[in-house]
Amino acid sequence: MRIFVVAGEPSGDRLGGALMEGLSSLVPDVQFDGVGGPLMQAQGLESRFPMAELSVMGLVEVLPKFFHLKRRIAETAQAVLDTKPDVLITIDSPDFSLRVAKLVKAQSDIRTVHYVAPSVWAWRPGRADKMAKVIDHVLALLPFEPPYMERAGMECDFVGHPVASEPVASDKDIQEFRSAYDLGDAPIILALPGSRGGEVERLAPVFGEALRLYLNDRPDARVVVPAVAHMVDTVAGHVQGWPGNPVVVDPRDMPSDQAQSQKRAAFAAAELALAASGTVSLELAAQATPMVIAYNLNWLTTLIAKRMVKLDTVTLVNLVAETRTVPECLLDDCQPTQIAEALKQVADAPDAQRNAMITTMERLGRGGEAPGLRAAKAVLERMKA
């Protein structure tokens, strides 16, 4: 069996790696082709070009890279057509993925699967109908998503999220992490300003000032900044001068499983996290780390987003657990003073988020079959139907 798989950012690479592992366990002779990051490459993928080229977020932010991305879309679609896989699986990054699927469907009957349902329950509900023209089957991360996809005419299976099946860092893991970075017994505050260049450029200065305000009365605390491989140098440049003698966790010289293990240990060791909006909220919840979410966009994208977003929260922990326990400082509220105040509130009552985190992990599949394997089974069973 030949499978062409495309991911465009670290969260997609995480999903793709787990899916590929599941497919390999069910179909030993499976062959992979496509685009992905280190976790997918660890499962046997030779990426046709660096996945980091596709890690762009925001309506306006895409414009400077438009023509390059357009070339990559055409190149990727042509590779699918030339290799004639049994199935094309695109993972998140809909602006890229669905354009590839559209070109493929226009010239073939290759089956298309998209992993991660678009958030039509949050904004632009018409996307599901457009998506149904080029996608046969959707793998949904959230339990309430299948009806939206099925109403548009696509097959859809809720498969959970791989983060729910990952191990929780042990006390030994935490102590080894502290020792490796000479952190002693200092309180640890995580800072996670994103995995894309534009995010880090916008958020790192705001995060740094917010931490300065919050840590004014915490001289003993240390700041730890886990970074994705392609952003280490950028992140390291931004955190110079931050309070808390920041430590940047660099995964570049580690095997992918060691890098993930160390990241989990960093999360579990922290008493509090300040993070960009995204999948990282689930990773923090998996390690029971209290958090504040902060995010901002280009000013024009912000104006557009305000008109289009229908929900009062964007954090997956809040959405899945049906609570609002994770504070958010978004768009105009992404200001150092407001973020620092939110950090203080969470630090004063860290247990307020615990039940929401437990509920989130249970609803995403913790304790059950691994979501990556569930996703693999769904792909194969729908192909047989």
Side-chain angles (χ1 to χ4, degrees):
M1 175 177 285
R2 292 172 298 169
I3 297 178
F4 201 104
V5 57
V6 178
E9 54 191 326
S11 59
D13 181 47
R14 185 188 192 89
L15 294 169
L19 171 62
M20 291 169 65
E21 183 178 9
L23 288 166
S24 295
S25 71
L26 298 171
V27 186
D29 62 345
V30 66
Q31 298 176 21
F32 297 110
D33 194 354
V35 180
L39 298 179
M40 292 167 65
Q41 291 169 32
Q43 296 298 323
L45 178 71
E46 292 187 14
S47 187
R48 287 179 171 262
F49 54 83
M51 184 189 73
E53 292 184 20
L54 308 182
S55 296
V56 184
M57 177 71 173
L59 303 173
V60 175
E61 290 81 352
V62 170
L63 293 178
K65 298 185 177 182
F66 174 77
F67 291 107
H68 178 71
L69 290 172
K70 189 173 181 180
R71 285 193 296 272
R72 286 304 196 194
I73 289 168
E75 174 187 330
T76 304
Q78 190 59 53
V80 177
L81 294 168
D82 290 344
T83 58
K84 298 181 176 63
D86 294 288
V87 61
L88 164 64
I89 303 176
T90 53
I91 305 173
D92 210 1
S93 301
D95 290 331
F96 184 89
S97 295
L98 300 184
R99 284 175 171 82
V100 170
K102 182 178 180 179
L103 292 176
V104 170
K105 277 296 191 185
Q107 301 180 60
S108 75
D109 60 355
I110 293 171
R111 182 171 177 79
T112 54
V113 177
H114 190 66
Y115 198 170
V116 184
S119 304
V120 297
W121 34 267
W123 70 304
R124 289 172 57 194
R127 285 178 295 163
D129 293 329
K130 293 180 180 178
M131 184 173 164
K133 297 176 182 178
V134 299
I135 295 297
D136 300 307
H137 179 201
V138 178
L139 302 172
L141 302 184
L142 307 178
F144 53 80
E145 292 179 318
Y148 292 95
M149 302 297 103
E150 291 166 348
R151 279 198 294 270
M154 293 172 281
E155 299 169 345
C156 186
D157 293 293
F158 164 62
V159 297
H161 197 292
V163 71
S165 64
E166 292 184 353
V168 175
S170 67
D171 290 341
K172 179 183 177 182
D173 295 332
I174 293 170
Q175 288 306 315
E176 288 178 350
F177 173 78
R178 283 182 171 275
S179 177
Y181 290 94
D182 195 24
L183 294 165
D185 294 326
I188 293 175
I189 310 298
L190 285 181
L192 298 143
S195 60
R196 307 176 184 94
E199 290 176 330
V200 174
E201 294 293 333
R202 286 191 307 275
L203 295 177
V206 178
F207 279 27
E209 184 57 29
L211 289 169
R212 191 178 311 282
L213 294 171
Y214 173 66
L215 294 176
N216 189 48
D217 298 323
R218 301 287 306 280
D220 59 333
R222 297 290 304 276
V223 173
V224 172
V225 191
V228 295
H230 68 278
M231 291 303 299
V232 170
D233 292 335
T234 300
V235 169
H238 276 287
V239 303
Q240 291 182 16
W242 275 20
N245 190 15
V247 170
V248 176
V249 180
D250 182 351
R252 288 178 295 186
D253 294 328
M254 304 178 196
S256 59
D257 57 345
Q258 181 185 349
Q260 288 299 308
S261 177
Q262 191 165 95
K263 184 178 179 181
R264 289 192 293 267
F267 282 24
E271 66 174 40
L272 182 61
L274 169 59
S277 176
T279 307
V280 71
S281 70
L282 297 181
E283 297 178 74
L284 291 165
Q287 303 301 324
T289 308
M291 71 192 88
V292 171
I293 299 298
Y295 204 76
N296 205 352
L297 295 163
N298 172 285
W299 69 270
L300 182 54
T301 307
T302 296
L303 291 177
I304 296 169
K306 286 180 178 180
R307 293 177 176 271
M308 300 176 74
V309 175
K310 301 186 295 182
L311 293 179
D312 66 335
T313 182
V314 299
T315 301
L316 290 172
V317 173
N318 287 342
L319 288 166
V320 176
E322 299 177 275
T323 68
R324 297 296 182 266
T325 60
V326 177
E328 297 174 327
C329 298
L330 308 175
L331 304 179
D332 294 341
D333 293 328
C334 187
Q335 303 293 335
T337 52
Q338 290 168 263
I339 294 170
E341 183 58 34
L343 289 169
K344 291 175 183 177
Q345 290 175 2
V346 174
D348 288 342
D351 292 337
Q353 295 180 18
R354 304 291 186 192
N355 287 338
M357 293 177 180
I358 293 170
T359 299
T360 297
M361 290 300 106
E362 289 176 347
R363 291 181 177 179
L364 293 183
R366 177 172 279 176
E369 191 171 56
L373 180 59
R374 290 173 62 181
K377 287 182 176 180
V379 169
L380 297 174
E381 288 170 4
R382 293 284 190 176
M383 288 177 69
K384 294 176 184 176

